Amino acid sequence: MNIEEVQSTAKKQRIATHTHIRGLGLEPSGRAIDMAAGFVGQKEAREAAGLVVDMIKQKKMAGRALLLAGPPGTGKTALALGVSQELGTKVPFCPMVGSEVYSSEVKKTEVLMENFRRAIGLRIKENKEVYEGEVTELSPEETESLTGGYGKSIGGVIIGLKTIKGTKQLRLEASIYDALIKEKVAVGDVIYIEANSGAVKRVGRSDAFATEFDLEAEEYVPLPKGEVSKKKEIVQDVTLHDLDAANARPQGGQDILSLMGQMMKPRKTEITDKLRQEINKVVNGFIDKGTAELVPGVLFIDEVHMLDMECFSYLNRALESSLSPIVIFATNRGICN
């Protein structure tokens, strides 16, 4: 028998040039500290960037790009990343280089637009109906197997959930039973089940069992308050480009033509302007209802002297849009050979 140990599947982040930047390293008064938040030196530039961050937070900065000029290695990218970190950890930061727009398969304006959309986040707040509580009973219901023979198949599961206010018994589908098995749910665990999608999440073990002499290092959680069935707010962060890409993929059927179409599709498909306008309408609808809020991020364009007149006229129009992110340009033209 061959048993292998594998690396953890958790996403690892490589240590790169600017991964240590945690902000601009300023005092509350706005003065720069010598060594702070991963920065050393560049005090005047950091203080100036701090003023920009204050303007952005007061919603007084929009449609105007920032230009950072300096020799290579003086920290232009680090400053841009510091600005985005000061605005918040969930604020999108999209770096690009001026030469990226000269692609053989995609228009220049399309590359710029795609990066613009990557730098605009959308925080969606959903009120979902969930069943939450400590599992008091977990009994699968067996039915005759559809394939014949003597085997039995699981037709459903009866689960008892207990909160401080009361208990409830629920009959769930067989597919939710599979999700319960995957999450390794046992009697005495605190879980919640989404009513619409049937997704199951195990929160931890009920602290009523914490007195047992348990060798496993378990996370004990208190018994949930309120009723078993309740509404819960769930927050998701996406970018506008994620929405574009999700809606641009061909939603083919199972027939041979659509499968061939998906295989023959070029690697990079252009997202049409019409689709973007439709998504903007939907996003604006969400914002008006109050179920989502826009999080303008930071778009950082390095070596901006590589861009031509077409790109700049396009940027001019894009910066005036109500959905524009904060744009930071960087260049070393005229300062280094």
Side-chain angles (χ1 to χ4, degrees):
M1 183 181 277
N2 187 19
I3 298 174
E4 281 184 58
E5 274 195 24
V6 292
Q7 287 284 327
S8 157
T9 52
K11 192 177 171 189
K12 285 199 173 77
Q13 196 178 15
R14 192 168 71 88
I15 298 294
T17 327
H18 297 105
T19 39
H20 61 285
I21 301 291
R22 294 279 167 269
L24 290 170
L26 303 174
E27 293 172 4
S29 61
R31 297 208 172 279
I33 305 165
D34 279 345
M35 283 176 68
F39 265 107
V40 181
Q42 285 291 16
K43 284 188 173 182
E44 291 95 339
R46 276 156 59 197
E47 285 168 11
L51 288 174
V52 171
V53 169
D54 288 343
M55 282 167 68
I56 295 168
K57 283 182 177 168
Q58 290 167 21
K59 300 202 169 21
K60 287 182 180 171
M61 166 99 187
R64 297 182 189 84
L66 241 72
L67 177 65
L68 305 176
T74 46
K76 299 186 292 294
T77 313
L79 275 171
L81 187 59
V83 168
S84 110
Q85 292 277 13
E86 284 286 331
L87 292 173
T89 49
K90 294 274 184 188
V91 169
F93 176 73
C94 176
M96 67 170 283
V97 183
S99 51
E100 271 178 46
V101 299
Y102 302 105
S103 154
S104 58
E105 37 187 42
V106 183
K107 295 199 294 272
K108 298 180 218 178
T109 52
E110 175 62 26
V111 175
L112 283 172
M113 191 54 170
E114 191 176 297
N115 282 307
F116 254 83
R117 308 275 287 186
R118 276 182 210 274
I120 302 169
L122 192 68
R123 188 162 292 151
I124 303 166
K125 293 174 184 152
E126 284 181 287
N127 278 324
K128 290 192 175 172
E129 202 171 304
V130 296
Y131 293 97
E132 186 177 38
E134 179 198 321
V135 180
T136 54
E137 174 194 359
L138 192 64
S139 38
E141 293 179 322
E142 291 181 337
T143 56
E144 290 299 324
S145 178
L146 300 172
T147 53
Y150 298 112
K152 298 269 189 197
S153 67
I154 301 292
V157 58
I158 286 183
I159 189 168
L161 291 179
K162 178 173 91 176
T163 61
I164 287 174
K165 271 205 173 168
T167 57
K168 252 188 194 171
Q169 266 197 332
L170 311 171
R171 178 180 268 110
L172 308 173
E173 293 175 16
S175 61
I176 301 182
Y177 181 66
D178 295 340
L180 289 166
I181 296 290
K182 251 186 209 157
E183 285 279 323
K184 299 190 175 73
V185 172
V187 172
D189 288 350
V190 175
I191 64 168
Y192 73 83
I193 304 167
E194 281 181 23
N196 303 347
S197 60
V200 176
K201 179 88 174 74
R202 182 178 180 276
V203 184
R205 191 101 175 124
S206 170
D207 58 7
F209 294 84
T211 53
E212 292 179 13
F213 299 105
D214 205 345
L215 295 175
E216 288 293 320
E218 206 29 288
E219 192 178 337
Y220 293 103
V221 292
L223 199 62
K225 298 183 175 93
E227 299 288 344
V228 172
S229 150
K230 60 172 75 115
K231 281 188 159 47
K232 198 171 189 166
E233 190 177 72
I234 291 160
V235 180
Q236 276 178 309
D237 284 290
V238 291
T239 66
L240 292 189
H241 176 71
D242 295 339
L243 297 178
D244 294 345
N247 288 295
R249 285 201 194 98
Q251 305 289 334
Q254 290 302 312
D255 58 331
I256 192 75
L257 274 174
S258 65
L259 281 172
M260 284 293 287
Q262 283 171 26
M263 285 162 73
M264 301 291 283
K265 271 260 177 245
R267 208 169 48 250
K268 202 168 170 116
T269 52
E270 253 190 46
I271 296 161
T272 60
D273 218 21
K274 193 178 172 191
L275 174 77
R276 289 209 170 105
Q277 281 167 4
E278 288 299 317
I279 286 172
N280 284 355
K281 271 186 205 162
V282 173
V283 167
N284 285 332
F286 277 151
I287 293 163
D288 293 342
K289 278 189 209 157
T291 53
E293 62 170 318
L294 262 187
V295 185
V298 176
L299 172 62
F300 175 68
I301 306 179
D302 204 358
E303 292 180 23
V304 74
H305 53 262
M306 294 288 292
L307 300 183
D308 56 12
M309 276 317 284
E310 283 173 49
C311 294
F312 277 115
S313 66
Y314 184 79
L315 280 172
N316 205 20
R317 198 199 78 181
L319 281 168
E320 286 173 4
S321 151
S322 59
L323 296 179
S324 166
I326 307 302
V327 181
I328 301 180
F329 297 139
T331 180
N332 52 30
R333 170 55 60 89
I335 300 170
C336 74
N337 299 326

Coordinates of all heavy atoms in Angstrom, one line a residue, residues 95-163:
P95 N -1.7 46.2 -10.4 CA -0.5 46.8 -11.0 C -0.4 46.4 -12.5 O -0.7 45.2 -12.8 CB 0.7 46.2 -10.2 CG 0.1 44.9 -9.7 CD -1.4 44.9 -9.7
M96 N 0.0 47.3 -13.4 CA 0.3 46.9 -14.8 C 1.4 47.7 -15.3 O 1.8 48.7 -14.7 CB -1.0 47.1 -15.6 CG -1.4 48.5 -15.8 SD -2.7 48.7 -17.0 CE -1.8 48.6 -18.6
V97 N 2.0 47.3 -16.4 CA 3.1 48.0 -17.0 C 2.6 48.6 -18.3 O 1.8 48.0 -19.0 CB 4.3 47.1 -17.3 CG1 5.5 47.8 -17.8 CG2 4.7 46.4 -16.0
G98 N 3.1 49.8 -18.7 CA 2.7 50.5 -19.9 C 2.8 49.7 -21.1 O 2.0 49.7 -22.0
S99 N 3.8 48.8 -21.2 CA 4.0 48.0 -22.4 C 3.0 46.9 -22.6 O 2.9 46.3 -23.7 CB 5.4 47.4 -22.4 OG 5.6 46.7 -21.2
E100 N 2.2 46.6 -21.5 CA 1.2 45.5 -21.6 C 0.1 45.8 -22.6 O -0.5 44.9 -23.1 CB 0.5 45.3 -20.2 CG 1.2 44.4 -19.3 CD 0.5 44.3 -17.9 OE1 -0.7 44.2 -17.9 OE2 1.2 44.4 -16.9
V101 N -0.1 47.1 -23.0 CA -1.2 47.4 -23.8 C -0.9 47.0 -25.3 O -1.8 46.8 -26.1 CB -1.6 48.9 -23.8 CG1 -2.0 49.3 -22.4 CG2 -0.5 49.7 -24.3
Y102 N 0.4 46.7 -25.6 CA 0.7 46.4 -27.0 C 0.7 44.9 -27.2 O 1.7 44.2 -27.3 CB 2.1 46.9 -27.4 CG 2.1 48.4 -27.2 CD1 2.8 49.0 -26.1 CD2 1.4 49.3 -28.1 CE1 2.8 50.4 -25.9 CE2 1.4 50.7 -27.9 CZ 2.1 51.2 -26.8 OH 2.1 52.6 -26.6
S103 N -0.6 44.3 -27.2 CA -0.8 42.9 -27.3 C -1.2 42.6 -28.8 O -1.9 43.4 -29.3 CB -1.8 42.4 -26.3 OG -2.4 41.2 -26.8
S104 N -0.8 41.5 -29.3 CA -1.2 41.2 -30.7 C -2.6 40.7 -30.8 O -3.2 40.8 -31.9 CB -0.3 40.1 -31.3 OG -0.4 39.0 -30.5
E105 N -3.2 40.2 -29.7 CA -4.6 39.7 -29.9 C -5.7 40.5 -29.3 O -6.8 40.2 -29.5 CB -4.6 38.2 -29.3 CG -3.8 38.1 -28.0 CD -3.8 36.6 -27.5 OE1 -3.6 35.7 -28.3 OE2 -3.9 36.4 -26.3
V106 N -5.3 41.5 -28.5 CA -6.4 42.4 -27.9 C -6.1 43.8 -28.1 O -4.9 44.2 -28.1 CB -6.4 42.1 -26.4 CG1 -7.5 42.9 -25.7 CG2 -6.6 40.6 -26.1
K107 N -7.1 44.6 -28.3 CA -7.0 46.1 -28.5 C -6.4 46.7 -27.3 O -6.5 46.3 -26.2 CB -8.3 46.7 -28.8 CG -9.0 46.3 -30.0 CD -10.1 47.3 -30.4 CE -11.2 47.4 -29.5 NZ -12.3 46.4 -29.8
K108 N -5.7 47.9 -27.5 CA -5.0 48.6 -26.4 C -6.1 49.0 -25.3 O -5.9 48.9 -24.1 CB -4.3 49.9 -26.9 CG -3.3 49.7 -27.9 CD -2.7 51.1 -28.2 CE -2.4 51.1 -29.7 NZ -1.9 52.3 -30.1
T109 N -7.2 49.6 -25.9 CA -8.2 50.1 -24.9 C -8.8 49.0 -24.1 O -9.2 49.2 -23.0 CB -9.3 50.9 -25.7 OG1 -9.7 50.0 -26.8 CG2 -8.7 52.2 -26.3
E110 N -8.9 47.8 -24.8 CA -9.5 46.6 -24.1 C -8.6 46.2 -22.9 O -9.1 45.9 -21.8 CB -9.6 45.5 -25.1 CG -10.1 44.2 -24.5 CD -11.5 44.3 -23.9 OE1 -12.3 45.1 -24.3 OE2 -11.7 43.5 -23.0
V111 N -7.3 46.3 -23.1 CA -6.3 45.9 -22.0 C -6.5 46.9 -20.8 O -6.6 46.6 -19.7 CB -4.9 45.9 -22.5 CG1 -3.9 45.7 -21.3 CG2 -4.7 44.9 -23.5
L112 N -6.6 48.2 -21.2 CA -6.7 49.3 -20.2 C -8.1 49.1 -19.4 O -8.1 49.2 -18.2 CB -6.7 50.7 -20.8 CG -5.3 51.2 -21.2 CD1 -5.4 52.5 -22.0 CD2 -4.4 51.4 -20.0
M113 N -9.1 48.8 -20.2 CA -10.5 48.7 -19.6 C -10.5 47.5 -18.6 O -11.0 47.6 -17.5 CB -11.5 48.5 -20.7 CG -12.9 48.6 -20.2 SD -13.1 50.2 -19.3 CE -14.8 50.3 -19.1
E114 N -9.9 46.4 -19.1 CA -9.9 45.2 -18.2 C -9.2 45.5 -16.9 O -9.7 45.1 -15.8 CB -9.1 44.1 -19.0 CG -9.3 42.7 -18.3 CD -8.7 41.6 -19.1 OE1 -9.1 41.4 -20.3 OE2 -7.7 41.0 -18.6
N115 N -8.0 46.2 -16.9 CA -7.3 46.5 -15.7 C -8.1 47.5 -14.9 O -8.0 47.5 -13.6 CB -5.9 47.0 -16.0 CG -5.0 45.9 -16.4 OD1 -4.9 44.9 -15.6 ND2 -4.3 45.9 -17.5
F116 N -8.8 48.5 -15.5 CA -9.6 49.4 -14.8 C -10.7 48.6 -14.0 O -10.9 48.9 -12.8 CB -10.4 50.3 -15.8 CG -9.8 51.7 -15.8 CD1 -8.7 52.0 -16.5 CD2 -10.4 52.7 -15.0 CE1 -8.1 53.3 -16.5 CE2 -9.9 54.0 -15.0 CZ -8.7 54.3 -15.7
R117 N -11.3 47.6 -14.6 CA -12.4 46.9 -14.0 C -11.8 46.0 -12.9 O -12.5 45.7 -11.9 CB -13.1 46.0 -15.0 CG -13.6 46.7 -16.2 CD -14.9 47.4 -16.0 NE -16.0 46.5 -16.0 CZ -17.3 46.9 -15.9 NH1 -17.6 48.1 -15.9 NH2 -18.3 46.0 -15.8
R118 N -10.6 45.5 -13.0 CA -9.9 44.7 -12.0 C -9.7 45.5 -10.7 O -9.6 45.0 -9.6 CB -8.6 44.2 -12.4 CG -8.6 43.0 -13.3 CD -7.1 42.6 -13.6 NE -7.0 41.9 -14.8 CZ -7.1 40.6 -15.0 NH1 -7.4 39.9 -13.9 NH2 -7.0 40.1 -16.2
A119 N -9.6 46.9 -10.9 CA -9.2 47.7 -9.8 C -10.5 48.3 -9.1 O -10.4 49.1 -8.2 CB -8.3 48.9 -10.2
I120 N -11.7 47.9 -9.5 CA -12.9 48.4 -8.9 C -13.6 47.2 -8.2 O -13.9 46.2 -8.9 CB -13.9 49.0 -9.9 CG1 -13.2 50.1 -10.6 CG2 -15.1 49.5 -9.2 CD1 -13.9 50.6 -11.8
G121 N -13.7 47.2 -6.9 CA -14.3 46.1 -6.1 C -15.8 46.4 -5.9 O -16.3 47.5 -5.9
L122 N -16.5 45.3 -5.6 CA -17.9 45.4 -5.2 C -18.1 44.5 -4.0 O -17.7 43.4 -4.0 CB -18.7 44.9 -6.4 CG -20.2 45.1 -6.3 CD1 -20.5 46.6 -6.4 CD2 -21.0 44.4 -7.4
R123 N -18.5 45.2 -2.9 CA -18.8 44.4 -1.7 C -20.3 44.1 -1.6 O -21.1 45.0 -1.4 CB -18.3 45.2 -0.5 CG -18.4 44.5 0.8 CD -17.5 45.2 1.9 NE -16.1 45.1 1.5 CZ -15.2 46.1 1.9 NH1 -15.6 47.1 2.6 NH2 -14.0 45.9 1.6
I124 N -20.6 42.8 -1.7 CA -22.1 42.5 -1.8 C -22.5 41.9 -0.4 O -21.8 41.0 0.1 CB -22.3 41.4 -2.9 CG1 -21.8 41.9 -4.2 CG2 -23.7 41.0 -3.0 CD1 -21.7 40.8 -5.3
K125 N -23.5 42.5 0.1 CA -24.0 42.0 1.4 C -25.3 41.3 1.1 O -26.3 41.9 0.6 CB -24.3 43.2 2.4 CG -23.0 43.9 2.8 CD -23.3 45.2 3.6 CE -22.0 45.9 3.9 NZ -22.2 47.3 4.1
E126 N -25.4 40.1 1.6 CA -26.6 39.3 1.3 C -27.2 38.9 2.7 O -26.5 38.4 3.6 CB -26.3 38.0 0.5 CG -26.1 38.3 -0.9 CD -25.8 36.9 -1.7 OE1 -24.7 36.4 -1.5 OE2 -26.7 36.5 -2.4
N127 N -28.6 39.0 2.8 CA -29.2 38.4 3.9 C -29.8 37.1 3.5 O -30.7 37.0 2.7 CB -30.4 39.4 4.3 CG -29.9 40.5 5.2 OD1 -29.0 40.4 6.0 ND2 -30.5 41.7 5.0
K128 N -29.1 36.0 4.1 CA -29.5 34.7 3.7 C -30.3 34.0 4.9 O -30.0 34.3 6.0 CB -28.3 33.8 3.4 CG -27.6 34.2 2.1 CD -26.6 33.2 1.6 CE -26.1 33.6 0.3 NZ -25.0 32.8 -0.1
E129 N -31.3 33.2 4.5 CA -32.0 32.4 5.5 C -31.2 31.2 5.8 O -30.9 30.4 4.9 CB -33.4 32.1 4.9 CG -34.4 31.8 6.0 CD -35.8 31.6 5.5 OE1 -36.3 32.5 4.8 OE2 -36.4 30.6 5.8
V130 N -30.9 31.0 7.1 CA -30.1 29.9 7.5 C -30.7 29.2 8.7 O -31.5 29.7 9.4 CB -28.6 30.3 7.9 CG1 -27.9 30.9 6.7 CG2 -28.6 31.3 9.0
Y131 N -30.4 27.9 8.8 CA -30.7 27.1 10.0 C -29.5 26.9 10.7 O -28.5 26.4 10.2 CB -31.4 25.8 9.6 CG -32.7 25.9 8.9 CD1 -32.8 25.9 7.5 CD2 -33.9 26.0 9.6 CE1 -34.0 26.0 6.9 CE2 -35.1 26.2 9.0 CZ -35.2 26.2 7.6 OH -36.4 26.3 7.0
E132 N -29.4 27.3 12.0 CA -28.2 27.2 12.8 C -28.5 26.6 14.1 O -29.5 26.8 14.7 CB -27.7 28.7 13.0 CG -26.3 28.7 13.6 CD -25.8 30.2 13.7 OE1 -26.6 31.1 14.0 OE2 -24.6 30.4 13.6
G133 N -27.6 25.8 14.6 CA -27.7 25.2 15.9 C -26.8 24.0 16.2 O -26.0 23.7 15.3
E134 N -26.9 23.4 17.4 CA -26.1 22.3 17.7 C -26.9 21.0 17.3 O -28.1 20.9 17.5 CB -25.9 22.2 19.2 CG -25.1 21.0 19.7 CD -25.3 20.8 21.2 OE1 -25.4 21.8 22.0 OE2 -25.4 19.6 21.6
V135 N -26.1 20.1 16.6 CA -26.8 18.9 16.1 C -27.1 18.0 17.3 O -26.2 17.5 18.0 CB -25.9 18.2 15.1 CG1 -26.5 16.9 14.6 CG2 -25.5 19.1 14.0
T136 N -28.4 17.7 17.5 CA -28.8 16.8 18.6 C -29.1 15.4 18.0 O -29.1 14.4 18.8 CB -30.1 17.3 19.3 OG1 -31.1 17.5 18.3 CG2 -29.8 18.6 20.0
E137 N -29.4 15.3 16.7 CA -29.8 14.0 16.1 C -29.4 14.0 14.7 O -29.5 15.0 14.0 CB -31.3 13.8 16.2 CG -31.9 12.6 15.5 CD -33.4 12.7 15.3 OE1 -34.0 13.6 15.8 OE2 -33.9 11.7 14.8
L138 N -28.9 12.9 14.2 CA -28.5 12.8 12.8 C -28.8 11.4 12.3 O -28.0 10.5 12.5 CB -27.0 13.1 12.7 CG -26.3 13.3 11.3 CD1 -26.9 14.5 10.7 CD2 -24.8 13.5 11.4
S139 N -30.0 11.2 11.7 CA -30.3 9.8 11.3 C -30.7 9.8 9.8 O -31.7 10.4 9.4 CB -31.5 9.3 12.2 OG -32.4 10.3 12.4
P140 N -29.9 9.1 9.0 CA -30.2 9.0 7.6 C -31.4 8.1 7.4 O -31.6 7.1 8.1 CB -28.9 8.4 7.0 CG -28.1 7.9 8.1 CD -28.6 8.5 9.4
E141 N -32.2 8.4 6.3 CA -33.3 7.5 6.0 C -32.9 6.7 4.8 O -32.5 7.2 3.7 CB -34.6 8.4 5.6 CG -35.1 9.2 6.8 CD -36.3 10.0 6.4 OE1 -36.3 10.6 5.3 OE2 -37.3 10.1 7.1
E142 N -33.1 5.4 4.9 CA -32.7 4.5 3.8 C -33.9 4.2 2.9 O -35.0 4.0 3.4 CB -32.0 3.2 4.4 CG -30.7 3.5 5.0 CD -30.1 2.2 5.5 OE1 -30.8 1.2 5.8 OE2 -28.8 2.1 5.7
T143 N -33.6 4.1 1.6 CA -34.7 3.7 0.7 C -34.2 2.5 -0.1 O -32.9 2.3 -0.1 CB -35.1 4.8 -0.2 OG1 -33.9 5.3 -0.9 CG2 -35.7 6.0 0.5
E144 N -35.1 1.8 -0.8 CA -34.6 0.8 -1.7 C -33.7 1.3 -2.8 O -34.0 2.4 -3.4 CB -35.9 0.1 -2.4 CG -36.7 -0.7 -1.4 CD -35.9 -1.9 -0.8 OE1 -35.1 -2.5 -1.5 OE2 -36.2 -2.2 0.4
S145 N -32.7 0.6 -3.1 CA -31.7 1.1 -4.2 C -32.4 1.1 -5.5 O -33.1 0.1 -5.9 CB -30.5 0.2 -4.2 OG -29.6 0.6 -5.2
L146 N -32.2 2.2 -6.3 CA -32.8 2.3 -7.6 C -32.2 1.3 -8.6 O -32.8 1.0 -9.6 CB -32.7 3.7 -8.1 CG -33.3 4.8 -7.3 CD1 -32.9 6.2 -7.7 CD2 -34.8 4.6 -7.2
T147 N -31.0 0.9 -8.3 CA -30.2 0.0 -9.3 C -30.6 -1.4 -9.1 O -30.0 -2.3 -9.8 CB -28.7 0.2 -9.1 OG1 -28.4 0.0 -7.8 CG2 -28.3 1.6 -9.6
G148 N -31.5 -1.7 -8.2 CA -31.8 -3.1 -7.9 C -30.8 -3.7 -7.0 O -29.9 -3.1 -6.4
G149 N -30.9 -5.0 -6.7 CA -30.0 -5.7 -5.8 C -30.5 -5.5 -4.3 O -31.6 -5.0 -4.1
Y150 N -29.6 -5.9 -3.4 CA -30.0 -5.8 -2.0 C -29.5 -4.6 -1.3 O -29.8 -4.3 -0.2 CB -29.4 -7.1 -1.3 CG -29.9 -8.4 -1.8 CD1 -29.1 -9.3 -2.4 CD2 -31.3 -8.7 -1.6 CE1 -29.6 -10.5 -3.0 CE2 -31.8 -9.9 -2.1 CZ -30.9 -10.8 -2.8 OH -31.4 -11.9 -3.3
G151 N -28.8 -3.8 -2.0 CA -28.2 -2.6 -1.4 C -29.3 -1.5 -1.1 O -30.4 -1.5 -1.7
K152 N -29.0 -0.7 -0.1 CA -29.9 0.4 0.2 C -29.2 1.7 -0.2 O -28.0 1.8 -0.1 CB -30.2 0.5 1.7 CG -30.8 -0.8 2.3 CD -32.3 -0.6 2.3 CE -32.9 -1.8 3.0 NZ -34.4 -2.0 2.7
S153 N -30.0 2.7 -0.5 CA -29.4 4.1 -0.8 C -30.1 5.1 0.2 O -31.1 4.9 0.7 CB -29.7 4.5 -2.3 OG -31.1 4.7 -2.5
I154 N -29.3 6.2 0.4 CA -29.8 7.2 1.3 C -30.8 8.1 0.6 O -30.5 8.7 -0.4 CB -28.6 8.1 1.8 CG1 -27.6 7.2 2.5 CG2 -29.1 9.2 2.8 CD1 -28.0 6.6 3.8
G155 N -32.0 8.1 1.1 CA -33.1 8.9 0.5 C -33.2 10.3 1.1 O -33.7 11.2 0.5
G156 N -32.7 10.5 2.3 CA -32.7 11.8 3.0 C -32.1 11.6 4.4 O -31.6 10.6 4.7
V157 N -32.2 12.7 5.1 CA -31.6 12.6 6.5 C -32.5 13.5 7.4 O -33.0 14.6 7.0 CB -30.2 13.1 6.5 CG1 -30.0 14.5 5.9 CG2 -29.5 13.1 7.9
I158 N -32.7 13.0 8.6 CA -33.5 13.8 9.6 C -32.4 14.3 10.6 O -31.6 13.6 11.1 CB -34.5 13.0 10.3 CG1 -35.7 12.7 9.4 CG2 -35.0 13.7 11.6 CD1 -36.9 12.0 10.0
I159 N -32.4 15.6 10.8 CA -31.4 16.3 11.7 C -32.1 17.1 12.7 O -33.1 17.8 12.4 CB -30.4 17.1 10.8 CG1 -29.3 17.6 11.6 CG2 -31.1 18.3 10.1 CD1 -28.1 18.2 10.7
G160 N -31.7 17.1 13.9 CA -32.2 17.9 15.0 C -31.2 19.0 15.3 O -30.0 18.7 15.5
L161 N -31.7 20.2 15.4 CA -30.9 21.4 15.7 C -31.4 22.1 17.0 O -32.6 22.3 17.1 CB -30.8 22.4 14.5 CG -30.1 21.9 13.3 CD1 -30.2 23.0 12.2 CD2 -28.7 21.6 13.5
K162 N -30.4 22.5 17.9 CA -30.8 23.1 19.1 C -30.1 24.4 19.3 O -28.9 24.5 19.0 CB -30.4 22.1 20.3 CG -30.7 22.6 21.7 CD -30.4 21.6 22.7 CE -29.0 21.7 23.2 NZ -28.7 20.7 24.3
T163 N -30.9 25.4 19.7 CA -30.3 26.7 20.1 C -30.7 27.0 21.5 O -31.4 26.2 22.1 CB -30.7 27.9 19.1 OG1 -32.1 28.0 19.2 CG2 -30.4 27.6 17.7

